[in-house]
């Protein structure tokens, strides 16, 4: 099990729940737009939010943004140690840096001192494009080089007494990402930030992120996740929630199971399944609802469901825990089933 670290009012690691995070895609100095986007993401389930810090205007925006949000704020900083010092002083909950690109030992020591004095968390890591030349020469492009690069940067901060650290080591390749985190999990007890970097659009990126992050979570690896999509950040949060639900780490939701349909299906179960999923998307109750095409996949295969429907011969049967309790004609099935769901979740 990983050790605990504090990120603002949140605790990562140590068996605590896996936290969902994302990153704002608006320039940080556009304060009102940034705050609006963070509020939207928070309402969707985002628990940690990161913003880029590219210039002095971005730095000065941090305090105003922090004041208007309730989830931990992370400042993403590269190449400028003064921005890191300012962000820490302005009260961000976490900074994301790589000591290797911050500058001299004196500059790193100054950042480390500020981190310790303020109790600020720091995310340190690597990606497949940032591995040091000497490590690449020794190990090639592999999970070992990617992980050892991250651990080298961690060791730089540890030298100055910093231990409130979260580690990431991402690649755009799913197999490489998974192998790297499995390697890291054996080598360190710091909390791990999971993600497949540059995963792509919401279509392919969702698949790659789900496989990469999901397989690691099923191994018991990972303390916080960020789904990286070339899309609006809201899609990252929605996908992250679906991943956590699929691997059993979030049970407080309505699970909708539905069969793929075949030639036996006589009513529009596809349309109904989509409407049921939409209706229940924001309900936080541990319920299971089945939309089945026919009696082959009906009450029997869905006998553990709190509510289900299956159709055939012009009639849809409604069932609870495998027991049929109501039958209605196809023409009335959708309306009546959606009513049953509303009654169930009240």
């Amino acid at each position: 099990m990983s050790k605990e670290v504090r990120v603002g009012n949140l605790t990562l690691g140590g068996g605590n729940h896996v936290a969902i995070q994302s990153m704002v895609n608006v320039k940080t100095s556009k304060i009102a737009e940034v705050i609006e986007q963070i509020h939207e993401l928070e309402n969707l389930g985002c628990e940690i939010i990161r913003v880029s810090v590219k210039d002095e205007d971005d730095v000065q925006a941090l305090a105003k943004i922090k004041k208007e949000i309730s989830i931990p704020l992370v400042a993403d900083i590269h190449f400028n140690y003064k921005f890191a010092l300012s962000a820490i002083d302005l009260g961000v909950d976490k900074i994301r840096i790589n000591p290797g690109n911050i500058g001299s030992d004196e500059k790193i020591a100054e950042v480390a001192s500020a981190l310790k004095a303020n109790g600020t968390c720091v995310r340190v890591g690597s990606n497949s494009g940032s591995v040091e030349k000497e490590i690449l020469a020794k190990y090639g492009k592999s999970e070992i080089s990617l992980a050892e690069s991250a651990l080298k940067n961690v060791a730089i901060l540890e030298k100055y007494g910093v231990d409130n650290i979260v580690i990431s080591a991402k690649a755009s390749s799913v197999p490489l990402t998974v192998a790297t985190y499995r390697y890291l999990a054996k080598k360190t007890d710091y909390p791990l930030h999971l993600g497949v970097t540059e995963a792509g659009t919401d279509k392919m990126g969702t698949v790659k992120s789900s496989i990469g992050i999901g397989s690691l979570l099923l191994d018991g690896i990972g303390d916080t996740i960020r789904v990286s999509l070339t899309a609006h950040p809201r899609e990252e949060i929605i996908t992250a929630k679906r991943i956590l639900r699929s691997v059993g780490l979030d049970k407080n939701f309505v699970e909708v199971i539905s069969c793929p349909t075949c030639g036996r299906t006589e009513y529009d179960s596809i349309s109904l399944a989509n409407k049921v999923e939409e209706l229940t998307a924001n309900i936080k109750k541990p319920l299971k609802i089945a939309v089945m095409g026919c009696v082959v996949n009906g009450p029997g295969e869905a006998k553990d469901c709190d509510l289900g429907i299956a159709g055939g011969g012009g009639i849809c049967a409604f069932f609870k825990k495998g027991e049929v309790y109501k039958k209605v004609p196809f023409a009335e099935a959708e309306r009546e089933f959606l009513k049953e769901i509303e009654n169930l979740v009240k």
Side-chain angles (χ1 to χ4, degrees), residues 38 40 209 270 282:
I38 293 173
E40 178 188 2
S209 296
I270 294 175
N282 297 315

Side-chain angles (χ1 to χ4, degrees), residues 30 44 88 124 134 178 236 247 285 299 334:
K30 296 181 178 180
L44 287 170
I88 296 167
V124 178
E134 65 273 16
V178 171
E236 298 185 352
V247 300
K285 283 190 177 182
E334 179 180 302

Side-chain angles (χ1 to χ4, degrees), residues 40-265:
E40 178 188 2
L41 298 177
E42 184 178 3
N43 288 335
L44 287 170
C46 183
E47 297 170 277
I48 302 173
I49 192 66
R50 182 158 45 116
V51 295
S52 59
V53 178
K54 186 179 179 182
D55 52 39
E56 189 61 38
D57 288 341
D58 290 343
V59 172
Q60 295 308 313
L62 293 172
K64 294 176 182 177
I65 294 168
K66 171 68 178 167
K67 186 178 178 181
E68 297 297 327
I69 67 174
S70 58
I71 56 176
L73 180 65
V74 184
D76 190 289
I77 299 160
H78 294 279
F79 308 114
N80 193 316
Y81 85 105
K82 289 186 177 179
F83 289 172
L85 292 173
S86 296
I88 296 167
D89 185 56
L90 289 168
V92 299
D93 302 291
K94 181 180 175 186
I95 62 169
R96 187 267 193 264
I97 61 166
N98 278 351
N101 69 28
I102 285 294
S104 65
D105 279 357
E106 291 78 12
K107 293 175 181 177
I108 296 170
E110 199 172 342
V111 172
S113 178
L115 288 168
K116 289 188 294 181
N118 290 273
T120 308
C121 186
V122 57
R123 175 185 149 206
V124 178
S126 59
N127 60 53
S128 52
S130 69
V131 178
E132 294 81 355
K133 290 180 180 178
E134 65 273 16
I135 294 178
L136 272 178
K138 185 175 182 179
Y139 299 111
K141 186 178 179 180
S142 67
E143 69 273 18
I144 299 176
S145 62
L146 195 53
E148 290 297 336
S149 174
L151 293 173
K152 177 184 177 181
N153 281 287
V154 168
I156 293 171
L157 287 176
E158 288 179 323
K159 182 173 69 173
Y160 295 105
V162 176
D163 63 0
N164 198 28
I165 296 170
V166 177
I167 300 177
S168 66
K170 303 178 181 181
S172 58
S173 159
V174 173
L176 179 55
T177 297
V178 171
T180 301
Y181 278 106
R182 286 175 176 162
Y183 181 96
L184 277 172
K186 294 176 182 177
K187 298 276 285 187
T188 183
D189 66 350
Y190 284 116
L192 298 178
H193 165 120
L194 304 186
V196 178
T197 193
E198 297 145 7
T201 64
D202 57 346
K203 296 179 179 68
M204 193 61 191
T206 294
V207 175
K208 291 174 69 174
S209 296
S210 299
I211 295 170
I213 295 171
S215 60
L216 288 165
L217 292 174
L218 286 170
D219 283 347
I221 297 170
D223 303 284
T224 180
I225 64 174
R226 191 265 171 112
V227 174
S228 298
L229 299 178
T230 309
H232 192 285
R234 74 172 71 92
E235 301 302 325
E236 298 185 352
I237 303 304
I238 292 167
T239 301
K241 287 170 67 175
R242 288 172 176 166
I243 291 172
L244 292 181
R245 289 170 176 179
S246 296
V247 300
L249 293 179
D250 178 6
K251 295 181 172 64
N252 197 31
F253 73 105
V254 179
E255 180 181 4
V256 180
I257 67 168
S258 56
C259 72
T261 74
C262 66
R264 288 187 295 265
T265 308

